[in-house]
């Protein structure tokens, strides 16, 4: 987390996180179709707090589903090869 953002909240009362890190997380979950705190920690080389903030923001933004016990989170974003970018499902 950017030290200048530490302790600050976004409009939806989530801690602020660096946009570049958020974009990396979106690309990662889009490519791998997986999302969890530990997954983000390992792949982005970040701590638990930042990974948990990212998971909360991704969920609030509608890109991933809610945690459901032992089941994987639903991923609502996929790579659209035709457009060369990400496409978002509205669930």
């Amino acid at each position: 987390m950017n030290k200048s953002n530490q302790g600050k909240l976004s409009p939806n009362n989530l801690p602020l996180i660096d946009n570049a890190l958020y974009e990396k997380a979106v690309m990662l979950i889009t490519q791998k179709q997986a999302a969890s705190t530990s997954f983000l920690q390992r792949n982005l080389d970040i701590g638990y707090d930042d990974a948990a903030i990212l998971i909360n923001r991704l969920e609030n933004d509608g890109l991933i589903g809610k945690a459901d016990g032992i089941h994987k989170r639903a991923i609502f974003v996929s790579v659209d090869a035709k457009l060369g970018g990400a496409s978002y499902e509205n669930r």
Side-chain angles (χ1 to χ4, degrees):
M1 185 179 340
N2 185 334
K3 295 294 182 197
S4 64
N5 289 337
Q6 196 166 4
K8 295 182 182 179
L9 299 177
S10 68
N12 55 3
N13 291 326
L14 290 176
L16 289 175
I17 194 103
D18 185 339
N19 281 336
L21 182 58
Y22 179 77
E23 289 173 12
K24 285 180 184 177
V26 170
M27 290 300 296
L28 183 64
I29 67 162
T30 301
Q31 293 169 349
K32 302 295 184 181
Q33 290 294 294
S36 71
T37 305
S38 60
F39 176 77
L40 293 180
Q41 281 182 274
R42 285 190 309 273
N43 287 279
L44 297 176
D45 195 28
I46 58 176
Y48 176 82
D49 291 344
D50 286 343
I53 292 167
L54 283 168
I55 288 290
N56 285 336
R57 184 168 165 197
L58 291 163
E59 185 179 315
N60 270 1
D61 290 350
L63 302 181
I64 63 174
K66 295 189 180 295
D68 184 20
I70 62 169
H71 300 103
K72 291 182 179 180
R73 287 179 181 264
I75 309 296
F76 302 134
V77 60
S78 61
V79 175
D80 186 339
K82 290 181 189 173
L83 299 176
S87 64
Y88 303 92
E89 299 174 19
N90 189 7
R91 292 187 188 174

